[in-house]
Amino acid sequence: MAQKDRLESIRNSIQLEKKLTVSQLSRDLGVTEETIRRDLEKLEQEGVLTRTHGGAVLNAQSVSENIDYLVRANHNRREKEIMGRLAVSVIPDRASICADASSTVMEAVRLLKGQPDITLLTNSVQIINELHQSAFTVVSTGGTVNKNTFSMQGKAVRKILTDYYVDIVLISCKALNLNGGIFDSNEEEGELKRLMVERGQKVILIADHSKFDRVAFIKVMDLDKLDVLVTDREPSPEWKALCQEKNIRLVVPNGSAE
């Protein structure tokens, strides 16, 4: 089995089992324990897991978790403001937008506040509260409010998302990986983002530099579904090459790298 396939298998297994042993992985994947140790070392560098004596455990940062919205909103605030301005710069006038409930997307939406010709569909309680007196046309998905994430979730949200089609889908994520795709830490939010992406003509992902080369609990989608990637600093040559290969517009401070 090629290393790429082994790493993907280990990623999937550690997410499910939370704890793995070198001996069991060696038997399951048909390679030596030394090979498995090298694979675990690589995945530890990616932030997927933490090596232990005889095995590895799922990295705490990769575990599904609900972090209070207000805590997330204040984390990396400067970077979010920078990315918000960059995202707004690539959103056309008179656009219809579907926005997720992330604090990062909230910053971009706030900068669009004065435009009267925007129609916005969202499951974010905070965005609706922020824009209730704006010039926007705001459409709420309805649903059950998650008090930790300030988002509306559940069957009602999934139903209404199928009734709309928008110009722009504006989302963030918890992690993105060159081989694995785009990830979130909350299963329900991940599913809703996946549905949003299906309803849009163009997908814009906003993700700061700390999200790159990591994984989180649930995979949202593959990278080739992206049209625009907005981040706060120029990524590695590998990421730039991938964006060029997949025709993803890369937007960074001081210009766009395409």
Side-chain angles (χ1 to χ4, degrees):
M1 180 184 291
Q3 185 188 45
K4 178 181 177 181
D5 296 328
R6 289 198 312 274
L7 294 176
E8 186 63 21
S9 178
I10 296 172
R11 287 189 192 97
N12 293 334
S13 296
I14 197 76
Q15 293 286 351
L16 290 172
E17 303 296 334
K18 307 298 186 291
K19 182 178 180 180
L20 300 172
T21 65
V22 171
S23 57
Q24 185 62 51
L25 286 170
S26 176
R27 289 192 294 271
D28 292 345
L29 299 177
V31 294
T32 66
E33 291 190 1
E34 183 58 34
T35 297
I36 293 297
R37 291 189 186 95
R38 287 196 295 269
D39 290 344
L40 294 181
E41 181 179 4
K42 181 174 179 60
L43 292 173
E44 184 176 50
Q45 291 171 353
E46 292 180 7
V48 176
L49 51 79
T50 299
R51 287 181 296 164
T52 62
H53 181 69
V57 296
L58 183 63
N59 191 326
Q61 291 183 330
S62 298
V63 177
S64 175
E65 56 184 353
N66 285 329
I67 303 174
D68 286 348
Y69 181 92
L70 294 177
V71 175
R72 290 187 286 114
N74 288 317
H75 181 65
N76 289 342
R77 185 64 180 268
R78 180 176 177 275
E79 288 83 355
K80 289 174 182 177
E81 291 174 351
I82 290 170
M83 293 186 296
R85 288 193 293 273
L86 292 172
V88 167
S89 72
V90 297
I91 294 176
D93 295 336
R94 297 181 293 278
S96 57
I97 302 170
C98 183
D100 74 12
S102 66
S103 59
T104 301
V105 166
M106 178 70 210
E107 290 298 325
V109 170
R110 184 180 284 119
L111 293 170
L112 289 166
K113 195 174 181 179
Q115 297 189 23
D117 51 2
I118 295 290
T119 299
L120 185 80
L121 170 66
T122 186
N123 71 320
S124 168
V125 175
Q126 283 296 95
I127 287 178
I128 292 170
N129 182 61
E130 176 81 15
L131 301 178
H132 75 285
Q133 292 184 325
S134 74
F136 273 29
T137 298
V138 181
V139 181
S140 168
T141 62
T144 303
V145 175
N146 182 317
K147 296 178 181 178
N148 289 324
T149 61
F150 282 9
S151 65
M152 289 171 279
Q153 302 177 346
K155 185 177 179 180
V157 183
R158 293 190 288 272
K159 172 63 173 64
I160 200 169
L161 285 176
T162 64
D163 292 336
Y164 290 89
Y165 189 76
V166 298
D167 300 317
I168 302 290
V169 175
L170 196 58
I171 61 172
S172 187
C173 67
K174 289 297 186 297
L176 60 163
N177 187 277
L178 281 168
N179 297 317
I182 298 163
F183 297 83
D184 206 276
S185 62
N186 181 289
E187 187 168 9
E188 176 74 10
E189 288 298 316
E191 181 181 352
L192 294 180
K193 290 178 185 184
R194 192 180 298 123
L195 290 173
M196 289 176 181
V197 167
E198 293 174 359
R199 310 310 299 167
Q201 183 175 347
K202 179 179 289 187
V203 179
I204 300 175
L205 176 71
I206 310 175
D208 70 63
H209 66 277
S210 68
K211 308 293 178 61
F212 284 69
D213 300 313
R214 307 187 74 85
V215 296
F217 183 66
I218 181 171
K219 182 175 178 177
V220 176
M221 62 183 182
D222 291 324
L223 291 164
D224 57 13
K225 291 187 178 293
L226 281 186
D227 295 288
V228 182
L229 174 57
V230 178
T231 187
D232 61 323
R233 64 176 66 169
E234 192 166 316
S236 68
E238 290 78 13
W239 275 101
K240 292 167 71 175
L242 180 137
C243 287
Q244 186 172 22
E245 175 190 340
K246 296 185 178 297
N247 199 30
I248 299 169
R249 181 179 179 183
L250 179 61
V251 181
V252 297
N254 302 317
S256 297
E258 300 184 60

